[in-house]
Amino acid sequence: GLAEIGVKNKFSVGDRIEVIHPGGNREILIETMRGPAGHDMMVAPGNGHMCRIPLPAGCAGAFLARFV
């Protein structure tokens, strides 16, 4: 699976993000991203958009933060 993400700030394929979860934080690289209709996308433009990215198992309910 893919996790459905409600985007708040712009991020792109190739960005590093931190998965913030009570079970422990993880750092991942966004290698692929899909839009709500299943099409590939390179950029999640910001607030009001949705996308899907692969996340490790056990990340339900986590927050995501992009490294700058």
Side-chain angles (χ1 to χ4, degrees):
L2 298 174
E4 189 169 65
I5 308 296
V7 179
K8 299 295 180 189
N9 294 300
K10 180 181 174 178
F11 62 89
S12 305
V13 170
D15 284 347
R16 290 183 316 135
I17 61 172
E18 184 174 15
V19 179
I20 303 166
H21 190 271
N25 298 349
R26 303 177 195 186
E27 183 181 323
I28 64 169
L29 176 69
I30 299 175
E31 296 178 353
T32 184
M33 185 170 18
R34 297 188 184 256
H39 61 280
D40 288 337
M41 57 191 295
M42 296 300 293
V43 176
N47 195 26
H49 290 85
M50 300 293 286
C51 70
R52 294 182 181 143
I53 61 172
L55 287 180
C59 291
F63 289 98
L64 303 178
R66 181 177 60 95
F67 287 92
V68 290

